[in-house]
Amino acid sequence: MVYILLGSGFEEAEALVTADVLRRADVPVTLAGIGGELITGAHGIAVRADAPVESVKLKEDDMVVLPGGMGGVASIEGSGPAMALIRQAGTDVRLRLAAICAAPTLLARARLLAPGVRAVCYPGMEGELIEAGAVPAMDQPVVIQGRLVTGRGPGAAFDFGLALVGELAGADAAQRVRAGLHYPS
């Protein structure tokens, strides 16, 4: 199961494109809401969460996905249950973690980026990654490092979603979804 955490002010494109691309590959996705059932994104689009973040119980091979959006990242960071899931996904070798845009900076602040790990975030925010010991790969839309996947920003949402499909369902599934989307390779 993939759990996409939605906090007030989340970046809609990053959350919804990712959920859509994963579901096209038959990867189960739950939109986990912080602070209610109806969560409003950074651009005023309200999304109904599938479940409250407090109800999420991670199991082996699950993934936690963090969309960006400054408000969304602040909402996630201010939620004890959300941060507990992130810490669990970031330290348990049986789980996976993904973050895009501003969200990799949350991982830096939570000390979940191993020294020397390559990662990408929204341009201009890479200083926090550097302070955490990570190596920014700002020329890449998506970076995969073991169990961690990071993405640059809203414009990389399809690349991010397809990378997650590749990691979770395999390269053939990612190529099938890419072709169905008519997304350039």
Side-chain angles (χ1 to χ4, degrees), residues 3 5 30 32 51-58 62 64 85 88:
Y3 296 97
L5 305 189
T30 295
V53 72
E54 294 84 2
S55 72
V56 174
K57 304 290 184 239
L58 298 176
D62 283 350
V64 174
L85 290 173
Q88 183 182 356

Side-chain angles (χ1 to χ4, degrees), residues 3-185:
Y3 296 97
I4 300 177
L5 305 189
L6 301 181
S8 180
F10 71 95
E11 174 53 59
E12 295 97 336
E14 295 162 357
L16 299 178
V17 167
T18 300
D20 178 278
V21 169
L22 287 164
R23 287 180 178 174
R24 287 173 190 258
D26 297 320
V27 174
V29 174
T30 295
L31 300 174
I34 297 168
E37 184 179 348
L38 199 59
I39 312 297
T40 302
H43 303 98
I45 301 171
V47 175
R48 186 171 312 282
D50 299 316
V53 72
E54 294 84 2
S55 72
V56 174
K57 304 290 184 239
L58 298 176
K59 298 181 301 305
E60 187 172 344
D61 294 325
D62 283 350
M63 176 182 267
V64 174
V65 176
L66 311 176
M70 296 301 287
V73 169
S75 294
I76 290 170
E77 202 164 19
S79 166
M83 289 305 297
L85 290 173
I86 293 163
R87 284 188 183 90
Q88 183 182 356
T91 58
D92 187 330
V93 297
R94 301 168 302 160
L95 302 171
R96 297 171 190 234
L97 186 58
I100 185 169
C101 194
T105 64
L106 183 152
L107 302 180
R109 290 190 296 277
R111 295 179 172 78
L112 292 172
L113 296 178
V117 70
R118 291 180 58 241
V120 64
C121 64
Y122 191 81
M125 303 183 92
E126 59 271 18
E128 288 193 61
L129 302 184
I130 293 167
E131 286 177 26
V135 178
M138 299 306 293
D139 60 331
Q140 300 295 311
V142 176
V143 175
I144 301 170
Q145 287 272 241
R147 301 175 306 105
L148 175 66
V149 180
T150 55
R152 187 170 46 218
F158 278 98
D159 294 310
F160 184 71
L162 288 164
L164 298 184
V165 169
E167 289 296 297
L168 299 169
D172 288 345
Q175 185 53 41
R176 179 180 52 79
V177 172
R178 178 185 294 276
L181 290 168
H182 296 278
Y183 189 73
S185 37

